[in-house]
Amino acid sequence: MSDAKNEIKLFEENQVRAIWDEENEKYWFSVVDVVSVLTDQQDYAKARNYWKWLKGKLADEGSELVSNTNQLKMKAADGKKYLTDAADTEQVLRLVQSIPSKRAEPFKLWLAKVGSERIDETVDPELSIDRAIQNYRRLGYSENWINQRIKSIEVRKALTDEWDKSGIKRDTEYASLTDLMSKTWSGMSTREYKAFKSLEKENLRDNMTNAELVLNMLAEVSATDISVERQPKGYGESAIVAQEGAEVARDARRSLEERTGKSAVSGLNAKDLGQRQLEGGGDEQD
């Protein structure tokens, strides 16, 4: 884990200690700090005692929140690091629901809104696409880039449908195949690619140029077409198909780079480029 960002702003102007987990690509937050904010308790000892009481109460109720929290070393006020109860984002949101607090209400309303949106999107998937388009527009992405990004979602869904048919397990095997494809066509695993673009929690595809998006889509649509023809079974056969599909994109990338004389893979991200410039190619190499 990396503690390069061991303190971030959360809940208005209050500071909550956090550690970035590079392996799992998520933040772990100090539970006592979160409790301090929610209970409006500036005394650390009292906030810690409240968490100790709440932890016992939740354990008696059979809540998985307590058993799922982690213990990580975080820097204290004296500058030394001590083992501290830590929770990820999902667990923090569960904690918010367990503490009666005026500050918690906006989070509870947000949770209800998100839950409602997910139900609506299950019934009508088009809603999620419309919402994504509006979000990208608000962030300033160009219409050209948005069209490519939405198309990339469709292409990705077709590929994962094939993986499901092949018996691929979600999460771990999905991630492994995605890494294999990324490594094959771009020369970098997903994590390496994100590090190359100086990203942490951000979505990698949201920080790709049009050229990168197209090459990634070419890898996925090629793998999908090959999979439809071969009907692979299990991870091993699907991995062969995934690599062959990505090789099509790799060859296209090399051909493009040979003709342009510059890399098709950009080290810059949306913040560096300015979202409106993402419709350009990957020529802004560091």
Short mmCIF file of all heavy atoms in Angstrom, two decimals, residues 42 73 146 233:
data_model
loop_
_atom_site.label_atom_id
_atom_site.label_comp_id
_atom_site.label_asym_id
_atom_site.label_seq_id
_atom_site.Cartn_x
_atom_site.Cartn_y
_atom_site.Cartn_z
N GLN A 42 -14.71 16.67 18.33
CA GLN A 42 -13.32 17.04 18.04
C GLN A 42 -12.32 16.33 18.94
O GLN A 42 -11.13 16.25 18.62
CB GLN A 42 -13.15 18.56 18.18
CG GLN A 42 -14.07 19.35 17.26
CD GLN A 42 -13.87 19.00 15.81
OE1 GLN A 42 -12.75 18.91 15.33
NE2 GLN A 42 -14.98 18.81 15.09
N LYS A 73 -1.51 0.93 9.50
CA LYS A 73 -0.73 1.95 10.21
C LYS A 73 -0.97 3.31 9.58
O LYS A 73 -0.74 3.50 8.38
CB LYS A 73 0.76 1.60 10.18
CG LYS A 73 1.15 0.51 11.17
CD LYS A 73 2.66 0.40 11.32
CE LYS A 73 3.02 -0.59 12.42
NZ LYS A 73 4.49 -0.67 12.62
N ILE A 146 -17.21 11.71 -26.59
CA ILE A 146 -18.34 11.06 -25.91
C ILE A 146 -18.90 9.93 -26.77
O ILE A 146 -19.19 8.83 -26.27
CB ILE A 146 -19.45 12.08 -25.57
CG1 ILE A 146 -18.95 13.07 -24.50
CG2 ILE A 146 -20.72 11.37 -25.07
CD1 ILE A 146 -19.91 14.21 -24.22
N LYS A 233 -14.15 -22.43 -24.01
CA LYS A 233 -14.68 -22.85 -22.72
C LYS A 233 -13.62 -22.64 -21.63
O LYS A 233 -12.49 -23.11 -21.75
CB LYS A 233 -15.07 -24.33 -22.75
CG LYS A 233 -16.12 -24.68 -23.80
CD LYS A 233 -17.44 -23.95 -23.53
CE LYS A 233 -18.48 -24.32 -24.58
NZ LYS A 233 -19.73 -23.52 -24.41
#
